[in-house]
């Protein structure tokens, strides 16, 4: 029995804005729920208050919160409340304490979050906060808000691909792992369609047009990069140091089996356990 088989099948997805999880993580979440029986938690750290040209702060925050709940309901996921407005998600101790509290409450074995290098600060700050909040999970003298007892167990942290598959300097980011998501594509579509307020906003602000079609285009591109799947979500593993004892700790691959392809072209791959 693999070591990961003895760990709780709980997954926490931490992203910046409502609809970020749906774009780049929800297919993996759906497969983990369907095939591994995992308990899924979704957490948008920002309220999404800036994603509008038409509504007041309170109006759009309420709308986006309901859309996020509707999306989580499609998957049967547990959703957690945001901690900051858009562009106010700073890397600061007050946010770290709140993130540490949720991590300690959920006790995930897998955490999914943004790429460390992405096109906007909210994504990168969400990533940094997720990494440190998870790293501090067993530190009894780091007091979470609200206070939750420290907890320490192996955790695997995976980074999604940046928007456009490139970092902020336009350099291509090459994945390590690909998850086949064609079989759960309709679930992804349904989840993203719940974010009704974003259709016109994304077109106006980013020229995205149909946001569902844009998502499918991104998945097809990652599938092409994999050389194995028609549609894929792609991931890079964070260092195991501070999170697990072994460099080869990889519950995502263990739980999804043939649904995951490891790309040998990635320079960060682990060829043998401990190397």
């Amino acid at each position: 029995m693999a070591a990961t088989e003895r760990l709780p099948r709980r997954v926490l997805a931490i992203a910046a804005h409502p609809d970020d999880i749906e774009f780049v993580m929800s297919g993996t979440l759906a497969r983990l729920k369907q095939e591994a029986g995992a308990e899924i938690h979704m957490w948008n750290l920002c309220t999404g208050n800036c994603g509008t040209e038409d509504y007041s702060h309170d109006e759009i925050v309420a709308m986006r919160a309901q859309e996020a709940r509707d999306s989580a309901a499609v998957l049967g996921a547990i959703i957690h409340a945001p901690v900051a407005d858009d562009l106010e998600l700073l890397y600061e101790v007050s946010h770290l304490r709140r993130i540490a509290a949720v991590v300690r409450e959920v006790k995930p074995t897998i955490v999914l979050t943004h790429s460390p290098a992405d096109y906007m600060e909210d994504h990168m700050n969400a990533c940094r906060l997720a990494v440190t909040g998870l790293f501090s999970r067993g530190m009894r003298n780091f007091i979470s808000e609200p206070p939750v007892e420290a907890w320490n167990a192996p955790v695997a942290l995976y980074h999604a691909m940046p928007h456009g598959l490139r970092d902020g300097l336009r350099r291509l980011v090459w994945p390590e792992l690909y998850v086949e998501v064609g079989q759960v594509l309709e679930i992804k579509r349904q989840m993203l369609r719940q974010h009704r307020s974003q259709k016109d906003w994304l077109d106006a602000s980013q020229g995205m047009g149909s946001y569902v079609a844009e998502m499918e285009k991104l998945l097809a591109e990652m599938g092409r990069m994999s050389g194995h799947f028609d549609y894929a979500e792609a991931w890079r593993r964070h260092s195991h140091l501070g999170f697990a004892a072994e460099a080869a700790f990889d519950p995502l691959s263990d739980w999804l089996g043939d649904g995951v392809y490891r790309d040998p072209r990635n320079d960060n791959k682990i060829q043998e356990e401990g190397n």
Side-chain angles (χ1 to χ4, degrees):
M1 177 183 292
T4 53
E5 291 298 317
R6 298 190 295 270
L7 295 171
R9 297 204 168 193
R10 284 192 292 272
V11 181
L12 174 60
I14 302 177
H17 312 106
D19 76 18
D20 285 340
I21 289 173
E22 287 77 2
F23 263 102
V24 295
M25 306 181 192
S26 61
T28 299
L29 294 176
R31 291 204 61 172
L32 285 166
K33 183 175 180 61
Q34 290 181 356
E35 297 167 47
E39 177 181 283
I40 305 298
H41 294 254
M42 295 171 57
W43 195 7
N44 308 305
L45 298 184
C46 296
T47 63
N49 67 297
C50 290
T52 184
E53 291 185 326
D54 303 311
Y55 301 103
S56 70
H57 174 281
D58 291 352
E59 288 173 333
I60 191 63
V61 167
M63 291 172 65
R64 300 205 71 184
Q66 185 59 56
E67 290 168 354
R69 289 191 291 269
D70 292 344
S71 173
V74 171
L75 188 58
I78 299 164
I79 195 159
H80 299 266
V83 303
D85 277 342
D86 296 358
L87 304 184
E88 298 180 24
L89 185 68
L90 307 179
Y91 186 80
E92 59 187 27
V93 69
S94 62
H95 292 149
L96 283 173
R97 294 192 190 283
R98 294 180 68 180
I99 288 161
V102 171
V103 165
R104 293 173 183 183
E105 289 171 353
V106 174
K107 297 180 175 63
T109 296
I110 290 176
V111 172
L112 309 179
T113 193
H114 286 295
S115 171
D118 211 327
Y119 84 118
M120 71 169 302
E121 294 298 321
D122 280 351
H123 287 200
M124 293 187 288
N125 284 340
C127 173
R128 292 185 66 198
L129 289 164
V131 170
T132 306
L134 189 61
F135 191 87
S136 70
R137 68 196 182 283
M139 298 175 179
R140 60 174 296 174
N141 291 332
F142 184 74
I143 308 302
S144 66
E145 178 57 43
V148 179
E149 185 178 358
W151 151 84
N152 201 3
V155 180
L157 178 60
Y158 299 85
H159 296 284
M161 295 295 286
H163 185 61
L165 308 181
R166 296 178 181 271
D167 66 15
L169 297 178
R170 298 175 289 112
R171 295 172 297 196
L172 181 66
V173 175
W174 204 267
E176 175 190 358
L177 303 173
Y178 298 87
V179 175
E180 194 284 323
V181 297
Q183 67 185 58
V184 292
L185 186 54
E186 185 54 34
I187 294 176
K188 281 183 66 70
R189 292 187 186 112
Q190 291 179 28
M191 292 177 72
L192 187 56
R193 286 182 183 129
Q194 303 310 309
H195 295 275
R196 295 169 291 276
S197 69
Q198 294 308 285
K199 182 179 184 299
D200 294 336
W201 161 252
L202 290 172
D203 189 16
S205 65
Q206 299 181 32
M208 192 169 287
S210 170
Y211 59 164
V212 174
E214 188 71 19
M215 176 192 71
E216 293 181 17
K217 178 180 176 182
L218 175 66
L219 298 175
E221 176 62 15
M222 288 187 284
R224 185 196 64 78
M225 291 171 70
S226 77
H228 283 68
F229 305 132
D230 292 331
Y231 296 98
E233 289 177 352
W235 302 93
R236 291 183 294 164
R237 275 187 296 167
H238 197 86
S239 169
H240 70 290
L241 298 174
F243 300 97
E246 297 179 351
F249 183 67
D250 183 11
L252 180 61
S253 296
D254 290 345
W255 293 354
L256 293 185
D258 292 341
V260 177
Y261 171 67
R262 183 186 304 281
D263 195 330
R265 294 168 294 186
N266 187 296
D267 292 337
N268 294 324
K269 69 181 184 302
I270 298 173
Q271 295 177 338
E272 296 178 1
E273 183 174 324
N275 292 335

